[in-house]
Amino acid sequence: MLAYGLLALGLSGALALVTFNVVSDYLTEQRISSALVETADNAAALHYGLFDAAPPCRPSRDNPAECTTVPASRPAPDVMALLDQLPSTDSAASLLFFHDRWYSAVGRPVDLPADLVNAAKSGTEVNRRIEVAGQQVLAVGVPLTRSGEAFFEWHPLTGLDKTLRMLKITLVVGALVTALLGLAVGRFASTLALRPLAELTQVAAAVARGRLDARLQAENDPDLGGLARSFNQTAAALEQRVVADARFAGDISHELRTPLMTMMNSMQLIQNHRTELPPAVREPVELLGDDLDRFRRLVIDLLEISRDDGGDQGLRETVRIADLVRAAADATAGRSITDVAEDAADLTMEADKRRLERVIANLVENAEDHAGGCKGVTVQAGGRGVIVYVDDAGPGIPEADRERIFERFGRGGGDGQSRGIGLGLAIVARHVEWHHGLIEVTDRPEGGARFIVELPTKSR
């Protein structure tokens, strides 16, 4: 678009410059030529009145109808009368230097440049653009027959200057309009040319967000058909692979649930009788119990991930956000930790209760088990509708790890310690995105980390 605009501006500017120079030169030459012709004609008429008028005559005695030339001396011509009798032209002033005197009908001799006057007196026809009383005029000098005598006129250039000014404005406006048209044409051309690439970008972004069923509709495009087919085949293969992996993870998780429940029940039975165990056995049993609990949570998380990857659409229903967050957070922490702002108490949204409860539970559980305990959960109106803050008492999360902790099996921690087994926060990010929300982590003002979840409400 910029290239089209600059090209149009360059071409129109060059054309405008050439047009202005040619037209202005032509109009100026025509104005000078007209002024020279008019001044020369007036000078000729004045010359006739001064030098070439016929001598007076008287009637003949023999024939009264005949005129006899009187050789008597001629009276001196009336110069001012001759100047007043000159044909009316567009000149603004007429001046005559005759018999070492200045005669002027209109204008002052002092307004004429001395060199121009001297050139005309010496027998050279001259013209020059000068300024008289703030007005631009063309001064023209024409020599008379006798040396040292000349006739001068100046012609106003106001009309010519106005015409050139209007021409300049018209050409500038035309160049700007042409540049704008070039920008419009460039935008249209670039949009038309890049439309398939824009569609490719949108579809690729959708696939990156997890919409593996997104496909390009440009397979018949003569330019991008091959790329579109290749992309669609790759996306289809990726979708099949992800579904197969999700099905495999789900099958494995389901198969593990039965032996896991047997082991958990057996461990619970052993822990109920741990006082009867020898002291050397109690510590290994406690460690085994902790690992079994981690294994249980891993299996649950794998089932959750495989459910999402398998295309589970969930069930949306209207929920009161504050009540759901309070119930999930307090139940996970085993105590009351939720604070609801007055403006958020009645906010509702279309949500999958299971997914949203899992978001809050995972964040609180992460704070309780790996960040020194949950310092509180706050619900207030703002952002996209409602904002949920989950604060912990841990060392915080470095900025370099704040994106990575939401990846699968991503780990982070300000002191180098692991924050969980890496699936809980990934599930949180997936579920928040499923609700068209946002999640980020920042520093808590009093120390520790603060997870911020923004969710869209039905109305604000």
Side-chain angles (χ1 to χ4, degrees):
M1 181 178 68
L2 183 61
Y4 269 91
L6 292 177
L7 179 62
L9 180 61
L11 292 177
S12 59
L15 181 60
L17 183 61
V18 172
T19 302
F20 179 77
N21 289 333
V22 171
V23 174
S24 62
D25 289 345
Y26 175 78
L27 293 178
T28 302
E29 290 177 1
Q30 290 296 313
R31 187 70 183 92
I32 293 175
S33 176
S34 174
L36 290 175
V37 171
E38 291 177 3
T39 304
D41 290 345
N42 288 339
L46 189 62
H47 183 279
Y48 177 80
L50 291 175
F51 305 110
D52 299 334
C57 65
R58 62 183 180 181
S60 172
R61 290 180 180 180
D62 300 330
N63 187 2
E66 294 181 357
C67 181
T68 303
T69 302
V70 180
S73 61
R74 294 172 52 197
D78 188 350
V79 177
M80 292 303 301
L82 292 174
L83 287 175
D84 292 337
Q85 293 173 5
L86 288 177
S88 177
T89 64
D90 64 350
S91 63
S94 299
L95 302 95
L96 174 66
F97 188 79
F98 182 68
H99 286 175
D100 298 326
R101 285 186 56 190
W102 280 103
Y103 298 89
S104 173
V106 179
R108 301 182 305 169
V110 295
D111 292 330
L112 291 171
D115 58 337
L116 184 141
V117 173
N118 293 331
K121 288 180 180 179
S122 64
T124 304
E125 186 177 283
V126 291
N127 67 85
R128 183 182 303 173
R129 185 186 184 107
I130 64 174
E131 183 176 339
V132 178
Q135 182 182 18
Q136 293 291 323
V137 299
L138 179 67
V140 180
V142 178
L144 299 180
T145 303
R146 293 190 300 188
S147 176
E149 297 179 348
F151 175 66
F152 301 90
E153 284 186 343
W154 60 63
H155 304 260
L157 298 177
T158 305
L160 176 63
D161 291 342
K162 184 177 180 180
T163 301
L164 294 179
R165 191 181 306 112
M166 290 300 299
L167 175 63
K168 184 186 298 183
I169 294 174
T170 302
L171 292 175
V172 170
V173 172
L176 294 177
V177 171
T178 303
L180 294 177
L181 290 176
L183 288 174
V185 172
R187 182 178 180 83
F188 174 76
S190 61
T191 301
L192 187 64
L194 297 177
R195 184 179 299 166
L197 295 181
E199 182 182 356
L200 174 62
T201 302
Q202 294 175 357
V203 174
V207 172
R209 291 194 302 268
R211 284 189 51 202
L212 300 181
D213 59 340
R215 297 292 185 270
L216 280 174
Q217 304 300 321
E219 291 191 1
N220 295 326
D221 188 277
D223 298 319
L224 295 178
L227 176 61
R229 286 187 291 272
S230 298
F231 180 86
N232 289 342
Q233 293 172 2
T234 302
L238 177 62
E239 182 180 18
Q240 294 175 1
R241 178 64 181 271
V242 169
V243 171
D245 290 346
R247 186 181 300 112
F248 176 76
D251 293 342
I252 292 296
S253 300
H254 280 291
E255 292 297 328
L256 289 176
R257 293 184 67 179
T258 301
L260 178 60
M261 292 302 299
T262 301
M263 288 187 287
M264 292 295 298
N265 292 334
S266 300
M267 179 55 65
Q268 186 63 44
L269 179 62
I270 293 174
Q271 288 179 344
N272 291 339
H273 296 276
R274 62 180 177 275
T275 57
E276 303 174 10
L277 298 174
V281 180
R282 293 177 185 175
E283 183 176 359
V285 169
E286 293 293 338
L287 294 176
L288 181 60
D290 292 340
D291 286 341
L292 280 175
D293 186 60
R294 293 185 62 205
F295 188 37
R296 176 186 63 82
R297 283 183 288 178
L298 175 60
V299 171
I300 294 175
D301 288 344
L302 284 174
L303 285 173
E304 188 74 18
I305 288 288
S306 64
R307 182 184 292 118
D308 279 349
D309 290 343
D312 181 20
Q313 299 299 319
L315 177 64
R316 294 184 184 271
E317 56 183 303
T318 302
V319 298
R320 184 171 294 180
I321 304 173
D323 294 345
L324 186 146
V325 171
R326 179 184 286 109
D330 294 352
T332 303
R335 63 187 187 281
S336 179
I337 59 172
T338 306
D339 180 31
V340 178
E342 184 177 352
D343 58 355
D346 297 324
L347 294 178
T348 61
M349 66 175 292
E350 294 294 324
D352 185 329
K353 292 180 63 176
R354 179 187 62 80
R355 282 186 167 95
L356 196 53
E357 288 173 350
R358 190 63 185 274
V359 167
I360 304 302
N362 280 13
L363 291 176
V364 173
E365 187 177 276
N366 180 74
E368 287 286 300
D369 296 343
H370 309 289
C374 183
K375 301 300 293 182
V377 177
T378 304
V379 183
Q380 66 182 35
R384 298 188 171 191
V386 66
I387 303 177
V388 180
Y389 300 98
V390 179
D391 297 332
D392 63 40
I397 301 175
E399 291 188 10
D401 293 335
R402 291 180 181 177
E403 294 291 336
R404 188 165 56 87
I405 60 172
F406 294 107
E407 299 174 359
R408 296 184 184 183
F409 298 101
R411 301 174 184 271
D415 57 356
Q417 297 178 356
S418 171
R419 292 180 68 98
I421 58 177
L423 285 178
L425 294 180
I427 293 174
V428 168
R430 289 285 296 271
H431 289 351
V432 170
E433 183 182 359
W434 189 89
H435 285 94
H436 307 293
L438 295 174
I439 183 169
E440 61 176 336
V441 58
T442 62
D443 292 324
R444 178 170 167 258
E446 297 81 7
R450 167 172 287 179
F451 287 83
I452 304 173
V453 180
E454 291 187 23
L455 296 170
T457 57
K458 294 181 65 175
S459 62
R460 283 295 311 276

